Amino acid sequence: MQALCDDVELRQAMIANGRLRAKETSSVNLTRLWRRFLTDTATTTYERWFNGSIWDRRVFLQRRYMVVKQERVQRRLQNTLNSVQSFRRKFVSNPVKDLLGITQD
């Protein structure tokens, strides 16, 4: 935060980058991207799924279910890891800092 206050060039570069990113997320651009997704990806994938056998559909749905479950487990594990790391930074002393008499903020 202090770097933004002190560094005018960094602040100007971030503002310019924000303006470029705003163009990417304009309503016209987002509408174009959604239209392309719905017509090119979603519709063709649905037609391929719909025209497949009942077993193909079941396998597809089971795979998707497993991917969703896997992502959920990964998210939980990452959240737990983040909590442990946060706890360690906050409450576990650092022997080197203790020896040097450095206090944590």
Side-chain angles (χ1 to χ4, degrees):
M1 181 69 170
Q2 189 62 39
L4 282 176
C5 294
D6 296 341
D7 191 342
V8 175
E9 288 180 22
L10 174 62
R11 191 169 53 248
Q12 294 300 323
M14 290 184 74
I15 290 169
N17 185 51
R19 288 187 178 122
L20 286 174
R21 298 288 296 165
K23 290 178 184 176
E24 293 173 9
T25 58
S26 70
S27 59
V28 171
N29 197 35
L30 289 175
T31 301
R32 182 180 54 78
L33 291 171
W34 272 107
R35 182 175 289 141
R36 184 184 311 153
F37 167 76
L38 291 171
T39 58
D40 297 347
T41 305
T43 304
T44 56
T45 303
Y46 172 75
E47 288 173 353
R48 187 171 50 248
W49 176 80
F50 184 78
N51 292 325
S53 70
I54 186 70
W55 295 108
D56 289 338
R57 285 186 241 165
R58 286 182 179 173
V59 167
F60 173 83
L61 292 174
Q62 194 64 29
R63 283 183 181 162
R64 289 302 308 148
Y65 174 76
M66 294 307 291
V67 167
V68 168
K69 294 294 275 185
Q70 176 188 0
E71 289 171 351
R72 192 174 298 151
V73 167
Q74 286 175 329
R75 214 172 20 253
R76 279 192 198 150
L77 287 172
Q78 188 60 52
N79 289 341
T80 302
L81 178 62
N82 291 344
S83 295
V84 168
Q85 289 172 340
S86 176
F87 176 84
R88 289 187 71 210
R89 280 192 301 272
K90 197 168 191 175
F91 296 108
V92 176
S93 66
N94 185 329
V96 175
K97 286 184 179 180
D98 291 344
L99 287 173
L100 297 174
I102 300 171
T103 59
Q104 287 182 301
D105 295 26

